[in-house]
Amino acid sequence: MTHPKSRVIGSRLASRRSVLIGGIAGASALALLGPAPLTARSRESSALDRHAGRTIKTRDGTEIFYKDWGKGPTIVFSHGWPLNADAWDDQMFFMASHGFRCIAYDRRGHGRSGQPWDGNDYDTFASDLADLIETLRLEQVTLVGHSAGGGDIARYVGRFGTNRIANVVLVSAIPPLMLKTAANPGGVPIEVFDNIRKAVATDRAQFYRDLGDGPFYGANRSGSKVSQGIRDAFWLSCMQVGLRASYEGIKAFSETDFTTDLQRFDVPTLIVHGEDDQNVPIANSALLSSKMIRKASLKIYPGAPHGLTLTHKDQFNSDLLGFMKDVS
C-alpha cells in the first residue's frame, strides 16, 4: 500500500522532471535555431564588452593594458622608461576629478601588458598608441608623455598626424635626440648608455634602486624631500618590466631621432621640464624641442628633477589643468 505522502512526493518529483526536460528541450531548440542576429546596438555593446577587461590587442597581437577613469574631454597618458601606467595615477585622479576622461596604458613589455620579444622600438610604440586610439574610438585627444613616453607621442604625430589629436603635453621628454652625434654635439655620450645597458643586464634590481634613490627624483640633491615610499613604488614598477623590453628600450630612447617628427606638430603643445633634470638634461631636450614645435609653450621648473610629476605634482597638476582650460 502506498502512503499518501509518497504519492505527493512522487507527483512533485515527476513535475520537476517535466520542467527540467522541458527546459533542456527548449534550450536545444534555441541552439538549433542559432544565435540571434546582432542589431546595431548589440554589435556596439559586444565591441565594448571586449574591452571590459581593460586591454586592447595591437595589430601584431600584443595585448596592451590600460586604465580608463572619469568622463569628459579625453587625455591619454604615456609613461616613461621603465615604468607603467601607475606613474600617472596622481594626474589621472586629479584630472578625472575635474571633469576629464583619463586613459593611461602600459607600454608593451611593461607592467600588465604583453611581453613580446620584438617591437621594442618607437615605430612600434607609436603603432601601439594608434591602435589604442583607434580601438577606443577616441577623437580630439590630448596626449601627455613623460620622458621616453614623450617619444611615443612624437613618433605617433610624425607617423599618423594630428587628425585625432587636439593638444600635446611633453614632460621631461627625450625629444629631439638624446645621443651625442656630430649633428647633435650637446647630446649624451654613447658610453653613458652602454653603462646603463651593462647595469640592467647585470643586476637590474640594484640599478633601478640606485636610479630611484638617486637622480630620478633628485634624492641625491641636498634638501630633497622625496619620500621612501615614492622611491619604493618606483622600484616596484621598474621590476615589472621585462628584461628584453628594458634592455632594448635603452637603445630606443637614446638613439631615436625625433627631429622630423617634431616638425609635424601643428597643435598647441605644452612643454614642461625641470631645470635640474639629471636624466634628460634640459639644454638638449626641452630647450630645443620648444624651438622646433609650432604653437609650443615652455614651462621650466627651477630646481626640479626628472620625476617632477610627483615631486612637483601640485604645480604640474595645476599647470596641466590650466593648459586644458586655455585650449578648450
Side-chain angles (χ1 to χ4, degrees):
M1 180 177 178
T2 305
H3 194 279
K5 287 187 178 180
S6 299
R7 287 196 298 270
V8 173
I9 293 172
S11 175
R12 289 176 179 171
L13 289 174
S15 176
R16 290 175 182 173
R17 280 196 300 271
S18 298
V19 171
L20 179 60
I21 292 170
I24 293 173
S28 300
L30 288 174
L32 289 173
L33 289 173
L38 284 174
T39 63
R41 182 180 295 275
S42 62
R43 276 195 299 270
E44 182 177 355
S45 297
S46 177
L48 293 175
D49 287 345
R50 288 199 299 271
H51 312 304
R54 292 293 185 258
T55 62
I56 63 111
K57 191 166 286 189
T58 66
R59 60 197 71 187
D60 72 352
T62 301
E63 287 197 346
I64 299 295
F65 168 87
Y66 69 96
K67 54 178 70 177
D68 190 342
W69 296 356
K71 295 180 180 179
T74 304
I75 307 173
V76 174
F77 295 87
S78 182
H79 66 80
W81 177 93
L83 299 170
N84 58 49
D86 296 346
W88 288 113
D89 271 13
D90 288 272
Q91 284 68 48
M92 295 262 290
F93 180 77
F94 179 82
M95 296 302 290
S97 299
H98 283 79
F100 292 88
R101 180 186 181 189
C102 298
I103 298 170
Y105 65 98
D106 292 353
R107 178 189 285 164
R108 64 170 53 216
H110 296 64
R112 292 139 294 198
S113 288
Q115 295 198 7
W117 183 251
D118 296 318
N120 301 301
D121 59 82
Y122 275 99
D123 282 349
T124 307
F125 299 154
S127 178
D128 290 346
L129 177 55
D131 287 342
L132 178 76
I133 292 171
E134 176 68 27
T135 303
L136 300 183
R137 305 169 191 158
L138 304 179
E139 302 284 351
Q140 291 299 298
V141 181
T142 295
L143 297 179
V144 181
H146 176 259
S147 190
D152 295 357
I153 293 171
R155 183 52 50 91
Y156 172 89
V157 172
R159 289 190 63 195
F160 300 98
T162 56
N163 288 339
R164 292 175 177 250
I165 309 306
N167 316 287
V168 169
V169 180
L170 300 176
V171 190
S172 308
I174 61 172
L177 172 63
M178 287 200 71
L179 184 66
K180 180 178 181 179
T181 65
N184 187 42
V188 180
I190 188 67
E191 291 78 15
V192 173
F193 302 112
D194 288 340
N195 289 335
I196 296 175
R197 267 185 282 270
K198 182 179 179 181
V200 167
T202 302
D203 187 350
R204 67 188 188 280
Q206 188 58 52
F207 172 79
Y208 298 148
R209 178 66 72 189
D210 293 341
L211 182 60
D213 286 347
F216 197 93
Y217 296 112
N220 58 345
R221 297 303 200 205
S222 176
S224 171
K225 297 179 180 179
V226 62
S227 71
Q228 186 64 51
I230 286 177
R231 287 179 276 162
D232 288 346
F234 174 85
W235 180 85
L236 180 62
S237 292
C238 291
M239 289 303 295
Q240 293 176 28
V241 63
L243 178 54
R244 168 80 168 184
S246 179
Y247 188 87
E248 290 205 326
I250 300 163
K251 178 179 177 64
F253 74 66
S254 64
E255 299 182 31
T256 303
D257 190 342
F258 300 100
T259 301
T260 303
D261 302 303
L262 297 182
Q263 293 169 355
R264 290 203 65 189
F265 278 54
D266 58 1
V267 296
T269 301
L270 173 64
I271 299 174
V272 177
H273 217 99
E275 186 182 40
D276 190 34
D277 191 326
Q278 301 170 69
N279 297 106
V280 181
I282 187 172
N284 202 55
S285 54
L287 296 187
L288 297 180
S289 293
S290 61
K291 296 176 182 178
M292 296 179 184
I293 297 175
R294 289 172 284 170
K295 302 181 182 180
S297 58
L298 173 64
K299 282 185 177 289
I300 299 174
Y301 289 10
H306 189 60
L308 62 82
T309 56
L310 281 179
T311 61
H312 293 64
K313 73 174 183 178
D314 291 339
Q315 182 179 356
F316 175 66
N317 288 352
S318 177
D319 286 339
L320 178 58
L321 180 60
F323 174 71
M324 294 300 297
K325 289 182 176 179
D326 288 343
V327 295
S328 62

